[in-house]
Amino acid sequence: MRSKLIWIFFILSFSSLSNAKDFFRVSGGDLLISDNGMTHSEVMEIINNEKSWTRIGYNHYILEASVGGEFDVRLRFTGDKLAKIISKQLGRMD
């Protein structure tokens, strides 16, 4: 019985983690969060307020995170809403 309860807890924990929101905190402290209704214009306002950013392509940027240095960040939109954030660390700040 105890092992069944452990498996149920594990499955419930895993399923709640899989529904976690994607997020990215820019160096200025603002937070980009997918799945919370952020529009394209709200996202662009946050990016434009950053001191240093580079546009690589359509919805593809090099941004500095508040912790962790530079990141290659791709933003995916569904309609006008931010749906997914894909980021890869490029360099680390000391």
Side-chain angles (χ1 to χ4, degrees):
M1 180 68 177
R2 182 172 258 182
S3 64
K4 287 183 182 179
L5 290 175
I6 292 172
W7 275 108
I8 291 171
F9 176 76
F10 177 77
I11 290 168
L12 291 174
S13 297
F14 181 77
S15 65
S16 66
L17 289 175
S18 65
N19 293 328
K21 296 177 181 175
D22 294 318
F23 67 92
F24 185 86
R25 186 173 299 277
V26 294
S27 63
D30 288 328
L31 192 62
L32 301 174
I33 306 175
S34 64
D35 298 332
N36 79 337
M38 287 188 85
T39 64
H40 186 270
S41 60
E42 291 171 329
V43 170
M44 292 311 302
E45 182 179 343
I46 289 172
I47 291 173
N48 288 331
N49 286 336
E50 282 295 293
K51 293 177 185 172
S52 173
W53 58 275
T54 304
R55 183 176 179 171
I56 303 299
Y58 185 72
N59 294 328
H60 186 187
Y61 300 90
I62 301 296
L63 299 172
E64 286 196 26
S66 60
V67 175
E70 278 190 334
F71 284 80
D72 180 334
V73 179
R74 291 179 184 266
L75 305 169
R76 305 270 191 238
F77 290 88
T78 300
D80 190 41
K81 305 289 183 190
L82 182 60
K84 186 164 184 76
I85 300 168
I86 303 164
S87 62
K88 177 182 168 188
Q89 189 172 20
L90 299 176
R92 181 136 184 98
M93 293 174 49
D94 293 328

